[in-house]
Amino acid sequence: MTEPGTAETQDLPAIAERGAAAAPAASRRTSLLVTLVLGGLTAVPPLSMDMYLPALPQVTAALHSPAATVQLTLTTCLAGMALGQMIVGPMSDKWGRRRPLLAGMVIYILATALCAIATSAELLIAFRLLQGLAGAAGIVIARAVVRDLYDGVAMARFFSTLMLISGVAPVVAPLIGGQILRLTDWRGVFVVLTAVGVALTLLVWRKLDETLPPARRHSGGLGQTLRTMRDLLADRVFSGYVLVGAFAFAALFAYISASPFVIQEIYGASPQVFSLLFGINSVGLVAVGQINGKLLVGRVGLDKVLGTGLALTALAATSLLLMSAGVFGPVGLVPMAAGLFVLMASMGLVMPSTNTLALLRTPHAAGSASALLGTSTFLLGSVASPLVGIAGERTAVPMALVQLSCAVLALVSFLGMCRPWQRRGESNGSTAGERTRL
């Protein structure tokens, strides 16, 4: 295993060169198919969470449970996705990507089917936890597979492409869920999710080859896994990127959690206007992600792109806080919506760059590194969610304050731990990164 301390002094092209040499060869003609498969796997979490949202009132009535109890079905699914990544990621470094992924998808199918027949809120909560644990396999292994197949610039571009799918999924999921409820009840949502799981599992089984050859796998049990994660976290720069991604996602999750009552309750927008604005913001995130992948990556250093995205996030959060605090006097919906748009769109620069820069340092343990990236984002996101409503539903200040705090902490992590100016040339030239496999 590469020592974390030495990685800090090596430049990005050298790291990418080693990864490229180790990566398995694959034909370019399979790239579209692999993109669709990996995109589908990254879409499983938003589909599992957001397609179910319109059904919450029905679930509350059907299972004769209070709303607070039914809300736990969301919390436990999110917690399962966070914990599951810590389990599946190291497993994929030891046994390869296919076996843990297929096992996780099969369990996801069973857990989702059990959700459809749950007879009490307590059983639904338990099945949702299992669903989250198993669904985490798709998230963590998709990132690890990208690391196996791509390097440098090509990896950054591929992550930007994945945002085209993962960014659209949260928008269409509630719409799909709403249409399902027009035809059947809340159990039908889980039936559809079960069918999606079956289709993805068959596609993975038949079309997604193993990307981690035996020679690159880790031996050892729990002790080795813990040592691997310790070594990863001992790399200051890697840990910095983990924190950057986690805090940035927390700012985004604060928007997702608070925007329904901010837009509708405080600024008086109708549900239709809220849905339109949410969709526009999601399109902004996807569009900036594609601009990043098609135009910026390879021409502008990844750290510069990341720094720009973090600065935009902080500026947007600052403007939102000033407006919500009344510094500029009463403001309407349009200025607030503009600030939220900039904040969300900036994630199209932050997320792909963070994932790429972190995983480029860990060709020896992509599964464990992916697990740390994913778990940290889910955990901080779940912490940010309840904080946005701490002052009730009459002010947007808590949302903006949480967003600004997270943006500042992301910037501090980037400047204080990643220190790109000390790693000369790491993210600017990427000749090795152009040697893609796929």
Side-chain angles (χ1 to χ4, degrees), residues 52 76-77 98 114 184 188 202 205 254 291 294 303 312 338 340 425:
Y52 172 65
T76 52
C77 186
R98 271 179 60 85
L114 289 172
T184 181
L202 291 174
W205 177 52
I291 292 171
K294 303 297 183 183
D303 276 310
L312 287 173
L340 291 171

Side-chain angles (χ1 to χ4, degrees), residues 19-388:
S27 171
R28 285 184 180 273
R29 68 177 179 270
T30 64
S31 60
L32 177 59
L33 179 59
V34 172
T35 300
L36 292 175
V37 173
L38 297 179
L41 292 172
T42 60
V44 166
L47 288 176
S48 300
M49 296 291 293
D50 298 341
M51 193 185 295
Y52 172 65
L53 291 178
L56 285 177
Q58 273 197 20
V59 176
T60 301
L63 298 182
H64 308 290
S65 297
T69 301
V70 175
Q71 286 284 349
L72 288 176
T73 62
L74 297 174
T75 305
T76 52
C77 186
L78 186 65
M81 288 178 183
L83 178 61
Q85 293 184 69
M86 294 296 291
I87 298 172
V88 179
M91 288 173 59
S92 73
D93 283 337
K94 181 177 181 179
W95 293 315
R97 312 302 185 203
R98 271 179 60 85
R99 284 191 290 173
L101 177 56
L102 287 170
M105 291 305 296
V106 169
I107 297 172
Y108 174 86
I109 292 168
L110 294 175
T112 307
L114 289 172
C115 288
I117 61 174
T119 56
S120 67
E122 291 74 21
L123 281 175
L124 184 58
I125 289 170
F127 295 149
R128 286 282 281 176
L129 176 63
L130 181 61
Q131 184 190 39
L133 286 167
I139 320 169
V140 67
I141 293 180
R143 274 195 303 263
V145 167
V146 173
R147 182 61 188 96
D148 293 339
L149 296 173
Y150 285 94
D151 294 284
V153 166
M155 180 161 49
R157 286 176 175 157
F158 195 85
F159 275 126
S160 293
T161 301
L162 285 186
M163 290 195 70
L164 183 61
I165 301 173
S166 59
V168 170
V171 179
V172 302
L175 300 177
I176 295 173
Q179 294 304 310
I180 293 172
L181 294 178
R182 292 170 63 92
L183 303 175
T184 181
D185 62 6
W186 64 272
R187 298 182 189 275
V189 174
F190 290 109
V191 172
V192 172
L193 285 172
T194 302
V196 170
V198 170
L200 266 177
T201 303
L202 291 174
L203 196 57
V204 168
W205 177 52
R206 298 191 61 182
K207 300 298 183 179
L208 187 62
D209 295 330
E210 178 60 62
T211 60
L212 187 68
R216 294 173 55 206
R217 297 176 190 176
H218 291 185
S219 58
L222 178 61
Q224 178 63 38
T225 297
L226 294 177
R227 284 191 295 272
T228 298
M229 290 195 169
R230 179 199 63 193
D231 291 342
L232 290 173
L233 292 174
D235 180 351
R236 170 177 53 78
V237 179
F238 171 78
S239 294
Y241 287 125
V242 169
L243 289 176
V244 168
F247 284 123
F249 183 81
L252 177 61
F253 208 79
Y255 157 75
I256 294 172
S257 301
S259 59
F261 82 82
V262 169
I263 300 298
Q264 296 179 80
E265 300 297 328
I266 298 177
Y267 290 93
S270 66
Q272 291 74 27
V273 170
F274 166 71
S275 299
L276 176 62
L277 291 175
F278 193 91
I280 290 173
N281 289 346
S282 298
V283 169
L285 183 151
V286 171
V288 172
Q290 298 315 295
I291 292 171
N292 178 37
K294 303 297 183 183
L295 300 180
L296 299 182
V297 172
R299 295 179 176 87
V300 182
L302 293 177
D303 276 310
K304 290 182 180 178
V305 173
L306 176 56
T308 301
L310 292 174
L312 287 173
T313 303
L315 286 173
T318 301
S319 67
L320 288 168
L321 180 58
L322 293 176
M323 286 188 289
S324 60
V327 173
F328 304 123
V331 296
L333 175 60
V334 173
M336 286 295 294
L340 291 171
F341 177 84
V342 174
L343 185 138
M344 194 163 181
S346 66
M347 296 299 162
L349 300 177
V350 173
M351 293 304 181
S353 302
T354 302
N355 287 334
T356 301
L357 288 163
L359 291 175
L360 276 172
R361 302 186 68 83
T362 59
H364 53 282
S368 296
S370 177
L372 290 170
L373 281 166
T375 299
S376 62
T377 57
F378 275 82
L379 287 178
L380 279 182
S382 64
V383 170
S385 180
L387 294 178
V388 298

